[in-house]
Amino acid sequence: MRKLAVGLVVAAVICAVASPAYALDCEGFDLDDGCFFTITGGDTTDPDDGYAVTNAHSVPMWDFVRDREAQAIGFPISQRWTEGPFTLQAFQKVILQWDPIKQRMNYYNTLDALANRFPWVELPFVPPHQVLEEDQGATFGTIIRNHLALLDQNEAIKERFLSEPDWLNLYGLPIRYEEREVDGNPAGVQLLRSQRTVFVVWNVPAAGITVGRVNLQNVPDKLKQLSNVVIPDTAKGLVSAPDPGLHPAIRALPWVADGILPHEQETLLLLRKLGSSSDELLTRLLVTRQPDWLQRLPGAQGQGALRMISAFAEIPWTRKHIGPAQPLLLSVLLNATEDQWPASFRKLMHKPWIRDGVTWGELRFAEIALRQTLVLAEANNPQYNGKLAELDNILSIMLDMPYLDSFEGYETTITENLFFGYSRTNPRTGASEWLHGPDLVMRMLRGFAATGGITDRQALFPRPRDFHGEPEEFGAAVSHRASESSVIEKDIFLPLSGRVRIVLINRQDIVASPTAISHTIGTIESVLNELVAFTQVPFPGHYVSFNDYIVPGSAPEIREARRQLVRRFIAYHNGYEVPYWATEGMAAVVELGMGYRPAHWNPGLSEFQDPGDNVQCPVNTVSNQFALGDASCHEYLGVSFFLDLYRSLDTASFRNGLARMIANTNGWIPLYSLCWAQNRILDIPCVYTERPSFETALTDAFTTGVTPEAAAIARAVIQRWYHGR
């Protein structure tokens, strides 16, 4: 027996005095899925620091301890930590271990782990580990009896030990009994070491001691005083309770709910900055999307992304409702972390016409620009691969040109032509060749340099039809075409649209009288009014036309001109990836509904074919017509399909579906950039790879917001034309 003197040190190392049994109540702040205990952080100057016990990450730590006796568990003295697949957390008297495979909470073999991993460590008032010789080769039942026999050396400890019905899980097997002399009493302190805790009986008086009472030592508390012994140092630091004024979505993050560590403060500040600037963005990020990288504390890349999102939050339109086009642009931009952002992106985001809200036209422009600087620079394309810096420089130069000081919408075409190059005939071989790449774009831009950059007027002429020169001559050719043409503009106001600018380009090589020009503008205005009234879809903010496209003349010519306007309107809204047959079919029924076609118009295949053509088309479905590769069949079947839908439904149901179809197909514009990164930050689906089929889009449009009878009819017509039934 060892001789120890009772002094003040005894009170520091023994367990707390046993108290009447009571459940482990929340001593601190209630959390949504647990409790933030401040009682074990009371020795610091911050009254709100401590440790959280929660059910975060599907580890039901709080559910396990909340109904158990406080004197058996104690209060938390660490954060969580992990060892392999297991999640652990230390309390004053036990360490809990969550087994995700068996979905079970275990009492950790704390003292066994100490003996096996740290055999040189001796804890005060803890008997050393021992292995019983009689356990060798014995069954588990025999081993249990061998170890329970150790309890016979102390009836008080034995009674307390076995009074716990769950003693095997809570305490483990008895390991060693020992008595030590204190102040001349040979049995001054009596100790029983088990696998997980130590029972102690003091038989000499001392401060804080009840003589003869059986207590449990706070073994984890003792381990916590040592560096990285069983309890990692990283799990010991006290954390600050979340500020009650935090946005609820931020408070719900597991690493915030568990308390804020010093190294988490930077990320928390970024989130708070985002929330103070744009509740809309914060909600999309934390509530709608809930990205995995934010459920854990973000690393450097995640913090870079948060810095960029916070920068977007300074854009005025992110502080209020975000319109339908804007999330798509955000999704493109947010795919890149801060260190991947070219300088041209920042310049783009500071353009007034981006900062005041993003329209579909502006989104198209941004997509073209971003596709070059992100996708093509990363793609396995010898023309662009590894040339991000060059493309970034080109985009920066373009953004500084006068035509992009404001945005009317027609600027997109010339930008696209510049980036994607053009075909020409090789003067030596006579073969057609496609020219593209950063070098070509820069050579084309030099063509505009002499005149101070592309102007608004030059942007109206994306590419002269008769241009066949070298890239350096491209700018001069566009400038020449712009200088030899007059531009007539008129602002009109349309229902649902507001101000719309009609731009009529009058080429000087085509003579048009003032009366003809006036008649042409009047025709455009009339048709646009009828279109908006019929489709109930807003018209874009501009309409550009060359006077050789629409020249007033005879009644049939005017009627054909009106039909062309309708087709251009439908094609603009549909974008590039809506099937050609659908664009033609939708345009045809709009023409019919607006009176540009006879009421009983039933076109035959010959109406869509050139004279002498003898192509046979399947008439049962639109799904197999692409195999023919014949444009006249595409148009004929699309018109026939939509006419059937138009005449099968009542007027209100058809127009409701058509309006939904036209309004929604803007989401079909080919934003390939949206899909280049795997980790999307906002809850925006990848338009290119995750969009619904066109059949699904049709069905949704014509069966939503109508009567059940109309929905059934629409579904039957679509099924018949798609699948022949």
Side-chain angles (χ1 to χ4, degrees):
M1 292 183 295
R2 303 180 187 179
K3 296 183 179 181
L4 298 175
V6 176
L8 293 178
V9 69
V10 174
V13 297
I14 64 173
C15 67
V17 176
S19 58
Y22 63 91
L24 185 64
D25 293 330
C26 184
E27 298 282 350
F29 301 102
D30 287 322
L31 302 175
D32 291 340
D33 65 343
C35 172
F36 190 90
F37 286 87
T38 58
I39 190 170
T40 41
D43 57 345
T44 68
T45 57
D46 183 357
D48 293 336
D49 62 7
Y51 303 102
V53 182
T54 71
N55 297 323
H57 303 300
S58 300
V59 177
M61 199 73 71
W62 173 239
D63 285 347
F64 183 81
V65 304
R66 64 191 303 180
D67 295 327
R68 282 168 171 75
E69 294 182 6
Q71 64 180 9
I73 301 292
F75 294 111
I77 60 169
S78 81
Q79 311 157 35
R80 292 181 177 190
W81 75 92
T82 59
E83 291 181 1
F86 304 108
T87 300
L88 298 92
Q89 187 165 12
F91 294 76
Q92 289 172 308
K93 298 182 180 299
V94 297
I95 295 177
L96 296 180
Q97 178 198 60
W98 173 250
D99 184 338
I101 299 174
K102 297 181 179 179
Q103 291 288 292
R104 185 178 70 189
M105 192 72 71
N106 301 319
Y107 291 100
Y108 190 58
N109 286 342
T110 306
L111 290 171
D112 277 0
L114 178 69
N116 293 331
R117 293 161 51 191
F118 308 94
W120 61 89
V121 173
E122 293 187 14
L123 296 179
F125 297 95
V126 174
H129 184 70
Q130 74 172 348
V131 177
L132 301 182
E133 294 182 3
E134 53 268 36
D135 287 348
Q136 298 298 319
T139 64
F140 185 60
T142 300
I143 291 174
I144 291 178
R145 287 192 294 272
N146 293 339
H147 285 263
L148 287 179
L150 296 174
L151 298 177
D152 294 338
Q153 300 176 76
N154 190 302
E155 286 298 323
I157 292 177
K158 179 178 181 178
E159 181 181 356
R160 171 68 187 275
F161 190 100
L162 296 179
S163 67
E164 168 58 54
D166 196 29
W167 62 264
L168 184 59
N169 286 323
L170 183 58
Y171 308 141
L173 294 175
I175 296 298
R176 187 185 193 106
Y177 178 76
E178 186 177 274
E179 294 183 351
R180 300 183 184 180
E181 181 180 341
V182 179
D183 287 347
N185 185 340
V189 60
Q190 298 168 321
L191 304 164
L192 176 78
R193 173 177 177 149
S194 70
Q195 290 178 288
R196 300 178 184 124
T197 190
V198 175
F199 290 76
V200 58
V201 179
W202 287 88
N203 295 314
V204 293
I209 294 296
T210 299
V211 174
R213 176 174 290 175
V214 180
N215 295 320
L216 294 176
Q217 286 191 16
N218 292 353
V219 173
D221 260 341
K222 296 181 179 183
L223 293 174
K224 187 179 176 181
Q225 309 308 313
L226 306 175
S227 178
N228 287 319
V229 174
V230 181
I231 304 174
D233 289 348
T234 54
K236 297 174 184 176
L238 286 163
V239 295
S240 300
D243 182 351
L246 274 178
H247 191 287
I250 300 177
R251 284 177 58 87
L253 290 170
W255 57 271
V256 176
D258 286 351
I260 311 301
L261 290 164
H263 69 278
E264 296 171 340
Q265 290 289 351
E266 181 180 357
T267 304
L268 182 62
L269 288 174
L270 289 171
L271 287 171
R272 297 187 75 151
K273 178 182 178 182
L274 175 60
S276 63
S277 299
S278 174
D279 185 82
E280 175 84 15
L281 272 181
L282 186 71
T283 300
R284 283 179 179 271
L285 181 64
L286 298 185
V287 179
T288 307
R289 175 62 178 161
Q290 294 184 333
D292 290 339
W293 61 268
L294 256 180
Q295 299 306 302
R296 301 176 296 275
L297 178 68
Q301 185 175 11
Q303 287 186 350
L306 280 176
R307 279 191 288 273
M308 292 315 306
I309 300 173
S310 298
F312 300 147
E314 298 174 0
I315 302 171
W317 53 261
T318 67
R319 301 179 186 177
K320 52 186 179 181
H321 174 69
I322 297 180
Q326 294 158 6
L328 295 174
L329 177 59
L330 285 172
S331 185
V332 178
L333 301 179
L334 295 177
N335 277 328
T337 56
E338 186 176 22
D339 58 353
Q340 294 175 312
W341 263 59
S344 57
F345 280 24
R346 303 178 187 276
K347 186 175 291 187
L348 173 63
M349 294 304 292
H350 282 85
K351 284 291 182 181
W353 43 272
I354 289 288
R355 295 181 68 84
D356 66 3
V358 182
T359 65
W360 285 111
E362 292 165 350
L363 179 61
R364 276 197 175 104
F365 173 85
E367 189 273 330
I368 289 170
L370 300 179
R371 189 190 312 168
Q372 308 315 308
T373 51
L374 278 180
V375 180
L376 294 181
E378 299 290 336
N380 186 20
N381 184 327
Q383 298 289 340
Y384 294 96
N385 189 26
K387 297 186 178 181
L388 177 61
E390 295 177 54
L391 291 166
D392 181 35
N393 182 43
I394 287 171
L395 182 56
S396 291
I397 292 173
M398 292 176 61
L399 288 170
D400 286 334
M401 290 188 172
Y403 84 114
L404 291 176
D405 288 344
S406 60
F407 193 87
E408 287 73 32
Y410 47 77
E411 296 90 343
T412 300
T413 308
I414 192 168
T415 303
E416 188 170 24
N417 283 334
L418 282 169
F419 270 126
F420 293 119
Y422 64 100
S423 61
R424 71 167 187 178
T425 301
N426 188 304
R428 291 186 296 102
T429 64
S432 178
E433 59 184 9
W434 185 253
L435 304 179
H436 57 90
D439 294 340
L440 175 72
V441 179
M442 190 58 75
R443 289 168 64 188
M444 287 181 163
L445 287 177
R446 292 193 189 103
F448 293 100
T451 58
I454 302 172
T455 64
D456 281 340
R457 173 172 286 225
Q458 290 166 338
L460 293 167
F461 299 83
R463 178 177 297 156
R465 291 181 171 184
D466 54 356
F467 174 65
H468 300 292
E470 292 296 316
E472 291 86 346
E473 302 169 10
F474 179 78
V478 172
S479 300
H480 174 71
R481 179 62 72 199
S483 65
E484 69 172 7
S485 302
S486 61
V487 177
I488 300 96
E489 297 179 287
K490 180 182 179 181
D491 287 343
I492 63 173
F493 290 86
L494 300 177
L496 306 178
S497 304
R499 185 181 73 86
V500 173
R501 175 162 294 182
I502 296 175
V503 182
L504 182 64
I505 300 174
N506 184 33
R507 287 174 47 186
Q508 293 181 1
D509 57 345
I510 298 179
V511 179
S513 67
T515 301
I517 292 173
S518 177
H519 197 162
T520 297
I521 293 178
T523 300
I524 295 172
E525 181 176 357
S526 172
V527 174
L528 294 185
N529 267 293
E530 293 179 33
L531 270 168
V532 172
F534 182 82
T535 63
Q536 291 298 296
V537 177
F539 194 80
H542 70 281
Y543 181 88
V544 179
S545 179
F546 292 85
N547 66 352
D548 56 337
Y549 289 167
I550 302 176
V551 179
S554 63
E557 289 176 325
I558 294 175
R559 188 162 51 249
E560 179 60 28
R562 288 175 176 267
R563 293 213 306 264
Q564 288 184 16
L565 274 172
V566 171
R567 190 171 290 106
R568 292 181 67 185
F569 167 76
I570 299 296
Y572 176 89
H573 274 283
N574 281 358
Y576 298 110
E577 300 230 333
V578 171
Y580 168 72
W581 62 264
T583 296
E584 293 298 318
M586 293 164 70
V589 294
V590 172
E591 294 168 13
L592 182 64
M594 291 172 59
Y596 300 160
R597 299 278 190 181
H600 300 290
W601 178 52
N602 283 305
L605 176 59
S606 60
E607 187 169 333
F608 303 94
Q609 291 183 322
D610 294 331
D613 285 351
N614 187 27
V615 177
Q616 299 299 313
C617 304
V619 295
N620 60 328
T621 67
V622 294
S623 57
N624 64 1
Q625 47 86 21
F626 285 106
L628 298 172
D630 186 85
S632 59
C633 288
H634 297 180
E635 187 173 355
Y636 168 60
L637 291 172
V639 170
S640 300
F641 166 65
F642 273 93
L643 281 176
D644 188 3
L645 197 58
Y646 175 71
R647 288 170 175 151
S648 298
L649 292 169
D650 62 275
T651 301
S653 297
F654 178 82
R655 290 176 68 168
N656 170 77
L658 183 69
R660 287 179 177 275
M661 200 69 224
I662 295 173
N664 291 340
T665 49
N666 257 318
W668 283 64
I669 58 178
L671 297 181
Y672 302 111
S673 314
L674 292 177
C675 307
W676 78 278
Q678 296 298 316
N679 298 319
R680 296 184 304 279
I681 295 179
L682 297 188
D683 189 31
I684 311 296
C686 180
V687 174
Y688 183 58
T689 60
E690 297 180 9
R691 66 184 183 190
S693 68
F694 191 69
E695 179 186 358
T696 300
L698 272 171
T699 303
D700 289 346
F702 284 94
T703 60
T704 303
V706 297
T707 65
E709 293 79 10
I713 292 171
R715 194 174 286 108
V717 172
I718 294 170
Q719 286 286 312
R720 182 167 65 248
W721 279 93
Y722 259 88
H723 305 290
R725 61 178 185 270

